[in-house]
Amino acid sequence: KVLLGAFDTNDQLFEALEVGDMLFGIDQGPYLQGYLPVALLIWYAYTNQQLSNHLIESGPAFVTNAPSAEESACQASHFPVCARPEPIDTTLPQSKSTEVQNQGAIIAISVVIVVLAFAITFLAYRIHQLNRYVRQTRDSGQEVPKITAGSYFAAMTQSPEEVVQRMNSVN
């Protein structure tokens, strides 16, 4: 005996599944795959809004038995308001690997926070150095142009003297 499966579903596939001549069929959900993109494009065209979740599970699905009469009627009328099957519990039990992943995520977030804190502290220190140098330069009687945001960012990689020199050469 040969084991058979098929793509796309139709009445012949369902009859073969009931008799046992076919092992499975793959339902690609042509109505949902064809209708949803058009409906979503129309929605976007009129409202300029998109879905925040781009994962829409419209198929494929393995079919191992023929649909009930109620399901067939629902599909034939293009899914008006149909009874929904019982939801499947998709929650997984917490395992050791999940705990390890959670700990890894906590460590990664902690490292990111420490690096950001260091970067912000470094930036604040360099800005303080630049402001102190500008104040000392003005107190000595030299004219210094107004400090711009670009000057503060330049202070991260250049000495305060170089930043002021560049500010003077620009003006």
Side-chain angles (χ1 to χ4, degrees):
K1 187 171 184 176
V2 176
L3 300 176
L4 294 176
F7 283 95
D8 294 329
T9 55
N10 55 34
D11 291 335
Q12 291 84 9
L13 173 71
F14 296 142
E15 290 170 12
L17 286 172
E18 284 180 1
V19 175
D21 290 342
M22 294 283 268
L23 187 61
F24 66 90
I26 298 178
D27 181 10
Q28 297 185 45
Y31 176 77
L32 293 177
Q33 288 183 2
Y35 171 78
L36 281 178
V38 173
L40 294 175
L41 285 171
I42 290 171
W43 177 262
Y44 179 70
Y46 280 101
T47 66
N48 203 24
Q49 295 177 347
Q50 296 178 353
L51 293 178
S52 60
N53 179 9
H54 296 282
L55 177 64
I56 300 174
E57 297 181 15
S58 61
F62 278 98
V63 178
T64 56
N65 53 13
S68 67
E70 183 179 299
E71 290 172 331
S72 294
C74 186
Q75 290 173 4
S77 61
H78 300 295
F79 303 94
V81 178
C82 301
R84 298 189 183 273
E86 290 296 318
I88 300 171
D89 182 17
T90 58
T91 57
L92 299 174
Q94 187 99 5
S95 66
K96 284 285 187 194
S97 64
T98 305
E99 290 173 13
V100 170
Q101 288 174 351
N102 289 344
Q103 290 173 352
I106 290 170
I107 291 170
I109 290 170
S110 301
V111 168
V112 168
I113 289 171
V114 168
V115 169
L116 284 174
F118 176 75
I120 290 169
T121 303
F122 176 75
L123 177 62
Y125 173 71
R126 295 299 296 216
I127 289 171
H128 171 72
Q129 278 185 320
L130 178 62
N131 286 335
R132 188 177 71 202
Y133 180 77
V134 167
R135 189 173 40 257
Q136 289 172 349
T137 305
R138 285 182 180 153
D139 289 346
S140 70
Q142 295 178 12
E143 201 169 309
V144 178
K146 185 177 179 182
I147 301 173
T148 63
S151 300
Y152 285 123
F153 284 111
M156 289 192 305
T157 59
Q158 299 172 349
S159 70
E161 295 85 5
E162 292 172 324
V163 173
V164 170
Q165 187 178 19
R166 176 184 270 179
M167 288 169 35
N168 283 329
S169 68
V170 169
N171 292 329

